[in-house]
Amino acid sequence: MNTYDTAALECLAAIVEEGGFERAAQRLNVTQSAVSQRLRALEAQVGSVLIVRSRPLRPTNAGQLLLKHTKQMRLLRADLERDLQDLAPRSPGGTRDEERISIAINADSIATWALDALTPLARRNLPIEIITDDQDFTQEWLRSGQVLGCVTTLKQPLRGCRVLPLGAMEYVAVASPEFVRSQLPSGLSAHNFRDVTFICFNRKDDMQAEFVARRFGLKRVSLASIFVPSSEGQVRAVAAGWGVTVVPELMVAPMIAKGLLVDLAPGFKLPIQLYWHSWNLESEVLDALADALTQAASQSLVA
């Protein structure tokens, strides 16, 4: 069985994670020529192209397998670091980029409960890298081997992975009092939702359409949308009178209670089930991540 050079594997990972050869060279503190040489040597050893030179760059199937292997090696190093830390604590700040523990979490969870869950681990110097994406798409990061785990709406585990239920995040539709008075004096209904602008996270975000469809029993919903790629930014935009949005009740309950925002569908909430997926490996780091996220979710999400 071939033994792959760790520096070459980290070079491949840096190219994919940084999105190019130049930034990979900067991260690894080597020349761009050295990055290209390491990649060519690894491709020669594997006997296959590992990177598709497209925009953006993306790994081939063989590249994804090596990328997953590299992440597994990082995980083993992280487990070792935790064990050594217990024996001989070291000063913080010495983490290298290639030691990062990458996980994918949807933006709404980051804005509400997930950071509190991860705070104890971050304080113990676990080198966490959080990648954000829509909750319906975070699993793709795990599928491609770019992260060790993800928070997602998908229940079915990938091959070689395990899944834990986290609970449901409840979503509500809100707008500013001024917007309601001028645009929705009779409230949001099946007859006027097309007349107002909905603020979405990005083009992947179908939360607003799903909320309207479920609330009014519709099969197909088409909305006038603008995009603000931040959960907190969506709330700020709504408060400023940009339009309507659908966000976690956890984020806006205090603003609704103070009259700063109006709940447009009182008594109706859209529950979105969330799950934690991770590689099915024996790892103290993965166990710590799973424990932290499930415990925090049990306190913030609906069972």
Side-chain angles (χ1 to χ4, degrees):
M1 181 177 178
N2 285 333
T3 300
Y4 298 105
D5 179 53
T6 301
L9 291 172
E10 287 297 343
C11 180
L12 170 66
I15 294 169
V16 175
E17 293 167 354
E18 298 295 334
F21 286 73
E22 182 177 354
R23 293 182 61 181
Q26 292 173 354
R27 180 170 121 178
L28 297 174
N29 198 28
V30 298
T31 65
Q32 190 169 335
S33 175
V35 169
S36 298
Q37 290 174 8
R38 290 180 187 179
L39 178 63
R40 284 198 298 269
L42 187 59
E43 288 179 329
Q45 183 179 8
V46 175
S48 176
V49 173
L50 301 176
I51 294 289
V52 177
R53 272 73 165 178
S54 58
R55 291 193 178 184
L57 293 174
R58 59 182 179 85
T60 63
N61 290 338
Q64 288 182 355
L65 288 175
L66 288 182
L67 187 61
K68 183 175 181 179
H69 173 71
T70 305
K71 296 281 186 179
Q72 290 173 336
M73 296 302 295
R74 290 179 184 176
L75 188 59
L76 289 173
R77 289 199 298 270
D79 281 335
L80 177 60
E81 287 291 339
R82 283 170 60 88
D83 291 340
L84 291 175
Q85 181 77 9
D86 291 338
L87 294 175
R90 64 176 185 175
S91 60
T95 301
R96 300 175 308 201
D97 280 337
E98 61 266 26
E99 294 175 338
R100 298 289 169 193
I101 302 302
S102 302
I103 56 177
I105 304 179
N106 61 307
D108 288 340
S109 290
I110 293 173
T112 51
W113 62 274
L115 290 188
D116 289 339
L118 298 172
T119 294
L121 298 179
R123 287 177 176 171
R124 292 181 60 186
N125 300 321
L126 184 69
I128 301 171
E129 177 186 15
I130 300 176
I131 294 171
T132 183
D133 204 338
D134 185 272
Q135 59 265 14
D136 294 338
F137 294 88
T138 47
Q139 198 179 42
E140 292 304 316
W141 292 86
L142 183 63
R143 188 191 307 274
S144 65
Q146 297 184 68
V147 299
L148 304 175
C150 67
V151 174
T152 178
T153 56
L154 302 181
K155 182 178 181 179
Q156 186 64 31
L158 299 174
R159 185 177 65 179
C161 295
R162 57 186 174 183
V163 58
L164 294 171
L166 295 173
M169 184 176 289
E170 295 184 322
Y171 284 75
V172 294
V174 294
S176 69
E178 294 77 12
F179 186 89
V180 172
R181 282 193 293 268
S182 63
Q183 303 292 325
L184 297 170
S186 300
L188 187 67
S189 71
H191 305 291
N192 64 12
F193 70 83
R194 296 182 182 86
D195 300 328
V196 297
T197 299
F198 282 78
I199 302 165
C200 303
F201 186 83
N202 57 25
R203 295 183 183 275
K204 297 178 181 177
D205 182 12
D206 63 355
M207 187 69 67
Q208 335 294 320
E210 184 175 356
F211 185 97
V212 172
R214 295 272 292 274
R215 174 65 179 86
F216 301 116
L218 304 174
K219 291 184 178 180
R220 288 187 179 181
V221 171
S222 178
L223 303 176
S225 303
I226 56 178
F227 304 100
V228 178
S230 160
S231 299
E232 296 89 342
Q234 285 178 265
V235 175
R236 290 180 60 190
V238 167
W242 287 28
V244 176
T245 197
V246 176
V247 289
E249 186 183 34
L250 285 171
M251 289 186 66
V252 294
M255 299 181 72
I256 294 173
K258 294 177 181 178
L260 301 175
L261 292 177
V262 177
D263 185 347
L264 296 174
F268 179 81
K269 301 172 185 178
L270 177 63
I272 300 298
Q273 297 289 333
L274 296 176
Y275 303 88
W276 167 248
H277 294 246
S278 66
W279 294 348
N280 190 19
L281 299 173
E282 293 294 329
S283 165
E284 291 184 5
V285 168
L286 285 181
D287 290 344
L289 285 169
D291 290 344
L293 290 168
T294 53
Q295 289 178 19
S298 69
Q299 298 173 9
S300 299
L301 305 183
V302 178

